[in-house]
Amino acid sequence: MSIILASYYFGVNRMPVFLITATDENDKRETHRVEAENSQDAYHDLESRGFSEIVLHTDDAAAATSSLFPNRAEIEELVSAADMVKFQSLSNFQLFLLSVGKGLWSIRLPLVILGVVLLYRWKFSIRLMIIDYGFLFLLFVPILISFWSVYFSTGQKYNKLMQSFAWARWQEVLKRVPALRGHVPEFELEARRAVALTALGDFDQGLAVIKPFEADPEIPRWMYLERLSELYEVVNDQDQVIECMRLAWEEAPGNPTVQMDYAYALLKYQQNLPLAQQLLTEAEQQHLDELLKMILYYFKGLLELNLGHCHVAKEQFLSSLSQLLPIAASQPLLQLFVDLNRAYLAIAHAELGEREQAQKLYKRVEPRLKALGSTSIMDRYAAAIA
């Protein structure tokens, strides 16, 4: 799960930064950047200062990844914390429109002056001068800059990398990594490259790529172990996946992201369901960011499905989908979670004898399952629908 969340917020400080909206003692509600070791500390920091109605927008994995990016203090001056939160749920086109609007607003005074002059000359049939075309120039500059920044930026290159990753197009992943060096943290890129190499049959090389980060003091050990588990996952070494997650949990037992990731590993392989249930209960009792809350429904649905409570599972899957779909369009790894959710929902429908709904959903996600080589899910569906 952290592979999704880590891509959401590119930070500007070495200390993890959390985006949090809260109401102060004067009833003023704002979004803040809060530096803290973890999400729970960030929450309690605002709480101790008298803030209420606190909403977390960043989880520990995203914040830990943000601390790996170079210092870019100028971003704080250009982009508010509230805008950073807004960006997370926007499609590319919505982001383009927002960027254009902000660009035009920043030059509103010269635009108004030149516009009035241009209108005056046009109304009284006065010959236009070259300077009058400055209005059109100023009008189109923000549009061109916004179009370039949204559709051809480093962020888009990274988005394409994640699209390739989410569809298991491993050769594409390897080809896209070099263009992002120097812009995205090496750990993030090398972790993706290590998985691709492993999936292409070179486990030793994949391990050699990610292993040096084990001793990197800037990489939380729990995050390293979670990324290491992905190598074992693509070679279907279930025991090692769960062992990595267990060790990550021991490193950060109070981290809700790690708790949920460990539970998810157990649930995917249908192992130790009581422990998975305990982990999800513990995570739910903590302060979760908005995305984790949405994904928690999916994990609880998988738990109920494994326990044989298909009606309850179906409701949990649908709750997760209803919340994830509006924000998943421009997020490749969220789209992956949506499809996996749908796959398990199809199994729940099949177990309940709802064949038409099951077949419709499964047909929609089958290309993804085949691309990922998710034989356990495909076999489980086949058994349920038979």
Side-chain angles (χ1 to χ4, degrees):
M1 177 179 53
S2 60
I3 60 175
I4 292 177
L5 306 175
S7 64
Y8 268 18
Y9 171 51
F10 291 178
V12 297
N13 298 292
R14 305 311 294 179
M15 173 77 78
V17 176
F18 296 86
L19 299 174
I20 305 180
T21 299
T23 303
D24 65 18
E25 295 175 333
N26 298 316
D27 289 331
K28 186 177 182 180
R29 189 161 182 80
E30 288 185 322
T31 302
H32 308 264
R33 289 182 172 93
V34 180
E35 295 184 25
E37 291 293 337
N38 56 63
S39 60
Q40 305 310 295
D41 285 353
Y43 187 100
H44 292 307
D45 175 38
L46 284 185
E47 190 175 48
S48 68
R49 290 191 272 144
F51 286 87
S52 60
E53 300 176 309
I54 301 170
V55 177
L56 272 165
H57 303 293
T58 314
D59 92 312
D60 291 273
T65 300
S66 78
S67 66
L68 302 178
F69 280 77
N71 288 326
R72 294 167 58 191
E74 67 276 9
I75 291 182
E76 286 191 346
E77 298 178 6
L78 298 174
V79 184
S80 69
D83 282 339
M84 288 299 299
V85 173
K86 188 183 297 184
F87 293 163
Q88 293 178 0
S89 59
L90 296 180
S91 67
N92 287 335
F93 184 65
Q94 289 171 325
L95 187 59
F96 167 70
L97 292 179
L98 179 64
S99 179
V100 169
K102 284 184 172 294
L104 292 175
W105 181 253
S106 68
I107 56 171
R108 59 192 180 280
L109 184 57
L111 267 181
V112 169
I113 293 173
L114 287 172
V116 169
V117 171
L118 184 64
L119 183 63
Y120 177 84
R121 289 182 181 278
W122 173 77
K123 183 175 181 179
F124 292 98
S125 301
I126 301 174
R127 184 172 62 87
L128 296 180
M129 303 172 63
I130 293 179
I131 193 173
D132 295 320
Y133 292 98
F135 172 80
L136 296 177
F137 177 77
L138 284 178
L139 185 65
F140 281 104
V141 163
I143 296 175
L144 293 175
I145 292 176
S146 298
F147 185 81
W148 178 264
S149 64
V150 170
Y151 292 100
F152 296 95
S153 65
T154 297
Q156 278 304 300
K157 292 177 182 177
Y158 180 76
N159 206 45
K160 289 178 180 178
L161 169 67
M162 300 316 299
Q163 186 76 14
S164 301
F165 191 92
W167 281 94
R169 297 195 288 260
W170 305 120
Q171 290 290 358
E172 285 185 21
V173 170
L174 296 179
K175 289 178 181 178
R176 294 189 186 282
V177 164
L180 290 165
R181 294 201 185 278
H183 302 286
V184 174
E186 279 298 293
F187 177 64
E188 171 70 9
L189 295 177
E190 292 298 81
R192 306 297 177 193
R193 191 164 74 92
V195 172
L197 290 168
T198 300
L200 290 170
D202 198 341
F203 178 84
D204 290 340
Q205 181 61 26
L207 192 61
V209 166
I210 198 172
K211 191 70 174 175
F213 294 99
E214 183 177 14
D216 190 330
E218 291 191 351
I219 309 297
R221 181 164 172 76
W222 61 264
M223 190 162 70
Y224 166 79
L225 288 165
E226 290 207 345
R227 293 304 184 90
L228 179 63
S229 75
E230 296 171 22
L231 274 65
Y232 292 109
E233 185 167 3
V234 295
V235 295
N236 200 30
D237 189 337
Q238 299 179 11
D239 291 339
Q240 283 299 318
V241 171
I242 290 175
E243 178 63 10
C244 284
M245 296 310 307
R246 183 188 68 80
L247 292 172
W249 176 56
E250 288 184 354
E251 286 288 328
N255 184 322
T257 300
V258 178
Q259 290 170 331
M260 289 176 60
D261 284 349
Y262 186 16
Y264 187 43
L266 293 170
L267 293 170
K268 282 189 295 186
Y269 302 128
Q270 301 185 64
Q271 295 191 26
N272 203 340
L273 299 187
L275 176 56
Q277 188 168 26
Q278 174 193 329
L279 290 165
L280 291 182
T281 299
E282 290 175 358
E284 192 171 16
Q285 291 171 349
Q286 300 202 65
H287 304 294
L288 304 180
D289 75 286
E290 296 165 305
L291 185 58
L292 280 185
K293 289 178 181 178
M294 298 176 194
I295 292 174
L296 181 61
Y297 285 109
Y298 164 41
F299 291 178
K300 289 169 68 175
L302 185 50
L303 171 64
E304 297 296 340
L305 183 64
N306 288 345
L307 291 172
H309 307 152
C310 295
H311 280 291
V312 180
K314 184 171 74 170
E315 293 306 313
Q316 296 284 3
F317 290 139
L318 289 172
S319 293
S320 182
L321 279 175
S322 67
Q323 296 176 63
L324 287 173
L325 282 173
I327 64 172
S330 60
Q331 303 294 338
L333 292 180
L334 269 189
Q335 293 167 22
L336 168 60
F337 262 53
V338 164
D339 281 349
L340 292 175
N341 191 330
R342 285 172 171 152
Y344 286 115
L345 177 58
I347 293 171
H349 279 303
E351 293 282 3
L352 292 168
E354 300 166 352
R355 295 180 61 88
E356 184 177 349
Q357 296 97 315
Q359 290 171 342
K360 183 179 179 180
L361 271 174
Y362 187 76
K363 184 177 180 181
R364 186 170 186 174
V365 301
E366 189 175 18
R368 174 88 72 175
L369 298 177
K370 288 182 176 179
L372 297 174
S374 301
T375 54
S376 61
I377 299 178
M378 292 187 286
D379 291 344
R380 189 172 182 178
Y381 172 77
I385 201 69

